[in-house]
Amino acid sequence: MSTDMDIAGQGDLWDPESFPLVVAGPCSAESEKQVLQTAREIAKIPEVKIFRAGLWKPRTRPGAFEGVGEQGLSWLKKVKAETGLKTTIEVARPEHVELALKYDIDVLWLGARTVVNPFVVQELAEAMKGVPVTVMVKNPIIPDLKLWIGGLERVNAAGIKQLLAIHRGFHYFDKSPFRNAPMWEIPIELKRLVPQLPIIVDPSHICGRRDLIQEISQKATDLEMDGLMLEVHENPDVALTDSAQQITPDRLRDLLQHLVLRKRTGSPDFESHLESLRTEIDKLDGEILQILAKRLEIIDEIGSYKRDNNITILQMKRWAGIITDRLSIGTHLGLNELFLKKLLNLIHKESIQRQTKIFGHKTKSESQKPEEKNRLSA
Ligand code: PEP
Ligand code: MN
């Protein structure tokens, strides 16, 4: 997947050399008093550059608090005038964009539920056309990197060059301590594909609970992410939305003080030692690949042997025995059990596929007629 976005430096937004970009503020603006008090406390923390507050809240079911809407814009104008903080809100409709610009909001963000819908993203992009505003695009709630990049590209194509991505985790059905699974491999791949695009991490929506936020903020920093967006409320326990994940301004100050910033490159000595360790890794990877290839060659031999003797490919007893044996060896060697299970399954799947081919069974894609194949990939 290639992408060619025209992204400018972040100008006066923040200095990436000194500290990650910190965006903080309540999940929702609830009242003028709550917004101003929270902003005053946040403004005392010098690392925070942008004040966030949601005015139109995308609630899963109707009937809950859906945000204060337009009236919140004048509260944010006061925040800006009084504290000097820049301001950001979520925009989900073209009218929101117009109103935000009218009230001098500095940064707009597209929410996770908006980015799943290319029609809405396109409408928002049109509304921003030619306006010198900074825009942040959250990942869609489903783990679809193309859709995230598509959202960023639509906004970029409307002339928005001050562009950032926000990683807020992904909806996931399996049990997990997180409200939204971080799936770090996705923002890391985004960084690889679009290195000039800053990525801000939103630990509040990833964690869904206060006690994990420090750890995820540190992890984001360790993974060279460019900033943090944190939900901060003067009194989180009574917050009208996302109460369990909001922290107080004091807690935010503490979190930022304890954040360990790491250098991106080291001294010449460090670099040369790192290089020699990496050479060892390269050699080991080569050995792993050769052993895998040898293993699969033997699998092919077993496949032909079974086929010639009319024996089934899958023999459950043997497979169950392999799992127990390899897990025991692997865990004794200090390897993680879940990792081992995934690895063994992957190797087994490939073995079955190779043997299926040898048995002359057609795989699903081979058995499709060419015209059917074309239709499905159109
Ligand atoms: C929010 O930032 O308050 C919000 C609604 O986030 P998301 O779009 O990530 O769910
Ligand atoms: Mn929220």
Side-chain angles (χ1 to χ4, degrees), residues 4-64:
D4 189 17
M5 279 186 256
D6 182 7
I7 292 163
Q10 295 308 311
D12 61 345
L13 210 53
W14 94 107
D15 171 15
E17 296 301 318
S18 68
F19 204 81
L21 174 64
V22 182
V23 182
C27 174
S28 302
E30 298 168 5
S31 67
E32 180 168 351
K33 187 164 156 276
Q34 169 249 8
V35 167
L36 283 164
Q37 275 182 6
T38 309
R40 283 179 193 129
E41 289 306 309
I42 286 179
K44 294 181 193 158
I45 308 172
E47 288 85 8
V48 182
K49 301 292 177 227
I50 307 179
F51 182 78
R52 64 150 281 157
L55 303 183
W56 296 277
K57 298 305 296 179
R59 306 311 298 274
T60 304
R61 297 184 61 194

Side-chain angles (χ1 to χ4, degrees), residues 247-283:
I247 56 174
T248 60
D250 278 349
R251 185 68 202 88
L252 172 67
R253 177 193 302 277
D254 192 58
L255 184 154
L256 297 176
Q257 265 166 12
H258 286 92
L259 205 63
V260 183
L261 298 185
R262 316 214 192 256
K263 291 175 289 195
R264 295 192 174 189
T265 50
S267 65
D269 267 2
F270 169 88
E271 292 295 331
S272 87
H273 184 52
L274 186 66
E275 200 43 49
S276 76
L277 291 174
R278 283 178 172 161
T279 310
E280 268 182 63
I281 292 284
D282 293 347
K283 187 168 154 274

Side-chain angles (χ1 to χ4, degrees), residues 26-28 52 57 138 179 204-205 231 241-242 245-246:
C27 174
S28 302
R52 64 150 281 157
K57 298 305 296 179
K138 284 199 170 197
R179 178 178 177 195
S204 308
H205 289 89
E231 286 191 338
T241 53
D242 288 350
Q245 71 194 32
Q246 301 210 55

Side-chain angles (χ1 to χ4, degrees), residues 167-348:
H167 169 43
R168 50 79 77 201
F170 300 90
H171 184 69
Y172 190 57
F173 286 102
D174 263 7
K175 253 210 213 134
S176 135
F178 302 110
R179 178 178 177 195
N180 290 289
M183 301 186 186
W184 291 104
E185 65 281 8
I186 297 180
I188 288 171
E189 178 63 1
L190 178 59
K191 227 177 202 332
R192 191 183 70 78
L193 291 168
V194 199
Q196 71 279 29
L197 174 75
I199 306 182
I200 305 303
V201 176
D202 170 351
S204 308
H205 289 89
I206 290 177
C207 299
R209 46 190 262 201
R210 269 161 234 152
D211 59 332
L212 300 174
I213 289 178
Q214 178 93 43
E215 181 188 322
I216 289 296
S217 304
Q218 185 61 52
K219 178 131 190 191
T221 313
D222 292 347
L223 291 175
E224 288 193 6
M225 297 294 153
D226 302 277
L228 299 169
M229 183 195 241
L230 291 147
E231 286 191 338
V232 178
H233 192 286
E234 50 160 4
N235 188 359
D237 289 337
V238 301
L240 298 180
T241 53
D242 288 350
S243 163
Q245 71 194 32
Q246 301 210 55
I247 56 174
T248 60
D250 278 349
R251 185 68 202 88
L252 172 67
R253 177 193 302 277
D254 192 58
L255 184 154
L256 297 176
Q257 265 166 12
H258 286 92
L259 205 63
V260 183
L261 298 185
R262 316 214 192 256
K263 291 175 289 195
R264 295 192 174 189
T265 50
S267 65
D269 267 2
F270 169 88
E271 292 295 331
S272 87
H273 184 52
L274 186 66
E275 200 43 49
S276 76
L277 291 174
R278 283 178 172 161
T279 310
E280 268 182 63
I281 292 284
D282 293 347
K283 187 168 154 274
L284 288 173
D285 280 352
E287 287 173 21
I288 292 176
L289 294 178
Q290 285 203 4
I291 291 177
L292 267 179
K294 210 185 266 175
R295 191 187 193 281
L296 288 172
E297 257 174 46
I298 300 181
I299 290 289
D300 288 351
E301 208 177 313
I302 293 181
S304 323
Y305 195 48
K306 284 183 189 162
R307 181 198 54 206
D308 296 346
N309 289 281
N310 218 16
I311 304 287
T312 54
I313 294 178
L314 179 66
Q315 280 154 353
M316 263 333 278
K317 214 168 139 206
R318 163 78 181 151
W319 175 229
I322 287 188
I323 295 269
T324 320
D325 179 69
R326 308 312 190 250
L327 281 184
S328 153
I329 300 175
T331 48
H332 269 96
L333 289 170
L335 298 175
N336 173 283
E337 188 171 333
L338 187 65
F339 162 70
L340 277 172
K341 279 186 183 159
K342 281 190 190 160
L343 181 66
L344 290 169
N345 269 316
L346 203 63
I347 294 175
H348 189 237

Side-chain angles (χ1 to χ4, degrees), residues 108-172:
L108 311 179
W109 92 76
L110 272 58
R113 288 159 194 79
T114 300
V115 182
V116 289
N117 188 331
F119 292 117
V120 180
V121 174
Q122 191 59 40
E123 277 178 6
L124 292 170
E126 307 284 334
M128 293 165 189
K129 220 169 207 154
V131 181
V133 68
T134 299
V135 179
M136 308 192 286
V137 178
K138 284 199 170 197
N139 64 262
I141 43 180
I142 49 165
D144 185 340
L145 177 58
K146 273 194 193 163
L147 202 51
W148 193 3
I149 291 181
L152 287 156
E153 284 172 334
R154 284 176 199 279
V155 173
N156 192 230
I160 306 292
K161 293 186 186 179
Q162 306 261 75
L163 194 60
L164 299 92
I166 302 178
H167 169 43
R168 50 79 77 201
F170 300 90
H171 184 69
Y172 190 57

